[in-house]
């Protein structure tokens, strides 16, 4: 194996932008679908994979919301989460912060408790059996209205100790962050941190709103911030983390190829960027494949890869001592593998 690939594989890292429903591999989708007697509009795993060609975010979301309908029971959510943890523990992901979309399930009659119960139980097993640390972030679907998000927040309150933050995802264009000001205000008063997808397809103005109106602690994607120099300055000065997802950007047409991916420019502008997989079952790679793809396309050095992995711990919602311990482990790895 190529030396850079080996270096990336062993690199201790955190993943901060990962939709658990986006880790549903075709094989598991068919297996769970069979178990629950739910027909998929595809004859085979190959047929399903062939449909994974997206012109934009909405094309992808249409398939993503179709696929997740096989998930019904606590065991389904457990199996889904466990499969992800097993994969990324082999990729040296030491800590992961996982999004889930409760409304995509409660809207189909699956109780909130079933969803959070299965995910949480898998995370407990992940810590015990794989030594992987994890947190859960609950996203509101922005194509739905704020009242629906409020109801979802009500349902989440009994599980406050299991959910570190609220987020905002789904169709970005036409659904600016300020549509959700009140529910984010309330969530923060209840003690949740906040994150939001912004500047994936939407304009730099949406990134400003995520920061100024929703008071996010991280911006998910954020690519379009580069259109606004004042915004870039602000994000750099405030050390606002951006959770960047290179293969997702490629597959959804946010960038035309990886050589023109803005990650390098973001690093040069001193932004606190991290590399993540978003929806790995749909975009052709987990977190290490994302590191590898940008390393190759942008010619990143080991020093720069180290910087990205370090940022992943810094930008996490871990406490300061936990961050320090993970970064010390990363530093030891890099000292041993620098040459
Ligand atoms: N839901 C799952 N993946 C998403 C993405 N990349 N952007 C917005 N919503 C999503
Ligand atoms: Zn995402």
């Amino acid at each position: 194996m190529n030396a850079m690939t080996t270096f990336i594989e062993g690199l201790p890292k955190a993943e901060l932008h990962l939709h658990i429903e986006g880790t549903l591999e075709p094989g598991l989708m068919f297996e769970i679908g069979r178990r629950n007697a739910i027909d998929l509009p595809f004859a085979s795993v190959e047929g399903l994979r062939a449909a994974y060609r997206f012109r934009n975010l909405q094309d992808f979301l249409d398939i993503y919301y179709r696929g997740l309908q096989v998930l019904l029971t606590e065991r389904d959510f457990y199996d889904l989460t466990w499969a992800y943890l097993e994969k990324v523990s082999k990729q040296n992901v030491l800590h992961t912060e996982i999004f889930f979309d409760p409304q995509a399930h409660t809207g189909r009659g699956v109780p909130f408790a079933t969803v959070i119960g299965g995910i949480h139980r898998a995370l407990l097993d992940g810590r015990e059996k794989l030594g992987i640390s994890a947190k859960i972030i609950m996203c509101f679907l922005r194509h739905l209205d704020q009242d629906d998000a409020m109801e979802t927040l009500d349902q989440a309150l009994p599980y406050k100790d299991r959910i570190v933050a609220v987020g905002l995802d789904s169709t970005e264009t036409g659904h600016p962050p300020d549509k959700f000001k009140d529910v984010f205000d309330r969530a923060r008063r209840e003690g949740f941190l906040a994150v939001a997808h912004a500047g994936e397809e939407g304009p730099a103005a949406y990134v400003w709103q995520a920061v100024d109106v929703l008071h996010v602690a991280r911006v998910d994607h954020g690519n379009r911030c580069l259109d606004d120099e004042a915004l870039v300055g602000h994000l750099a000065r405030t050390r606002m983390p951006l959770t960047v997802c290179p293969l997702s950007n490629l597959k959804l047409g946010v960038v035309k190829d990886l050589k023109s991916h803005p990650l390098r420019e973001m690093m040069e502008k001193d932004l606190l960027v991290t590399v993540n997989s978003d929806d790995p079952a749909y975009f052709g790679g987990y977190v290490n494949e994302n590191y590898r793809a940008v390393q190759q396309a942008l010619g990143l050095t080991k020093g720069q890869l180290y910087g990205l992995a370090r940022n992943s711990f810094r930008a996490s919602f871990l406490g300061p001592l936990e961050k320090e311990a993970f970064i010390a482990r990363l530093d030891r790895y890099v000292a041993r593998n620098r040459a």
Side-chain angles (χ1 to χ4, degrees):
M1 204 191 300
N2 169 305
M4 217 36 129
T5 305
T6 311
F7 179 77
I8 288 168
E9 289 200 348
L11 194 66
K13 59 186 77 68
E15 175 150 59
L16 304 180
H17 185 150
L18 180 281
H19 302 264
I20 199 64
E21 297 91 343
T23 69
L24 182 54
E25 291 285 349
L28 188 58
M29 193 190 295
F30 272 90
E31 186 186 321
I32 295 179
R34 246 190 321 272
R35 188 156 95 191
N36 291 334
I38 290 184
D39 280 334
L40 288 165
F42 301 96
S44 64
V45 164
E46 294 69 40
L48 184 54
R49 276 206 197 279
Y52 290 180
R53 271 187 274 119
F54 315 113
R55 283 164 305 176
N56 52 36
L57 174 59
Q58 193 60 50
D59 263 6
F60 156 69
L61 290 170
D62 292 343
I63 292 221
Y64 165 89
Y65 292 125
R66 186 69 198 77
L68 61 75
Q69 290 180 25
V70 300
L71 303 166
L72 291 184
T73 68
E74 200 252 18
R75 177 183 166 200
D76 300 339
F77 289 94
Y78 178 93
D79 289 352
L80 174 71
T81 308
W82 180 252
Y84 163 72
L85 293 174
E86 274 200 309
K87 274 210 192 71
V88 295
S89 83
K90 292 192 192 108
Q91 296 205 340
N92 282 297
V93 170
L94 306 185
H95 174 71
T96 178
E97 300 188 354
I98 295 179
F99 296 132
F100 78 115
D101 284 332
Q103 290 155 295
H105 310 298
T106 55
R108 304 179 286 118
V110 178
F112 192 97
T114 301
V115 182
I116 190 92
I119 297 171
H120 181 68
R121 189 161 62 82
L123 297 186
L124 292 179
D125 281 354
R127 177 173 284 280
E128 192 185 317
K129 296 176 183 156
L130 304 170
I132 193 163
S133 147
K135 293 189 186 290
I136 301 178
I137 300 171
M138 169 179 93
C139 288
F140 300 119
L141 298 182
R142 68 201 307 160
H143 66 272
L144 301 178
D145 61 28
Q146 180 164 246
D147 289 347
D148 208 307
M150 276 295 182
E151 248 175 66
T152 304
L153 180 56
D154 284 333
Q155 293 170 358
L157 292 180
Y159 304 99
K160 228 174 175 179
D161 58 330
R162 297 182 182 182
I163 300 170
V164 68
V166 295
L168 188 64
D169 67 359
S170 195
T171 313
E172 186 178 12
T173 308
H175 301 284
D178 65 2
K179 176 178 162 187
F180 295 92
K181 179 186 187 312
D182 295 347
V183 72
F184 270 68
D185 278 349
R186 185 167 157 235
R188 282 184 289 96
R189 277 198 308 273
E190 290 285 356
F192 295 98
L193 294 166
V195 299
H197 284 54
E200 181 183 17
E201 284 188 344
Y206 285 18
V207 180
W208 273 122
Q209 283 184 18
V211 171
D212 285 346
V213 180
L214 302 187
H215 302 285
V216 295
R218 287 199 300 250
V219 172
D220 296 315
H221 295 295
N223 298 40
R224 295 281 302 277
C225 75
L226 293 170
D227 298 344
D228 182 334
E229 217 176 293
L231 176 58
V232 170
H234 180 77
L235 297 174
R237 269 192 309 280
T238 55
R239 308 307 293 140
M240 175 64 71
L242 304 182
T243 63
V244 174
C245 306
L247 288 174
S248 164
N249 293 158
L250 180 66
K251 295 293 158 92
L252 300 186
V254 169
V255 296
K256 80 172 188 318
D257 55 42
L258 283 179
K259 287 205 186 317
S260 45
H261 195 281
L263 183 74
R264 175 185 279 287
E265 186 182 351
M266 289 168 155
M267 290 162 72
E268 285 165 1
K269 295 199 159 148
D270 211 21
L271 292 167
L272 185 61
V273 283
T274 64
V275 168
N276 310 273
S277 72
D278 207 3
D279 300 281
Y282 292 91
F283 300 149
Y286 285 75
V287 66
N288 282 0
E289 285 76 37
N290 275 272
Y291 272 82
R292 183 66 185 140
V294 282
Q295 188 281 319
Q296 274 181 331
L298 305 176
L300 301 183
T301 63
K302 283 187 176 179
Q304 288 169 321
L305 294 168
Y306 163 72
L308 290 168
R310 188 178 159 88
N311 286 350
S312 75
F313 293 115
R314 276 204 204 147
S316 74
F317 292 145
L318 292 162
L321 294 179
E322 294 168 303
K323 287 187 188 185
E324 232 174 75
F326 281 126
I327 290 171
R329 223 165 124 180
L330 169 65
D331 286 348
R332 285 195 296 277
Y333 174 82
V334 172
R336 270 188 274 115
N337 295 280
R338 191 173 288 133

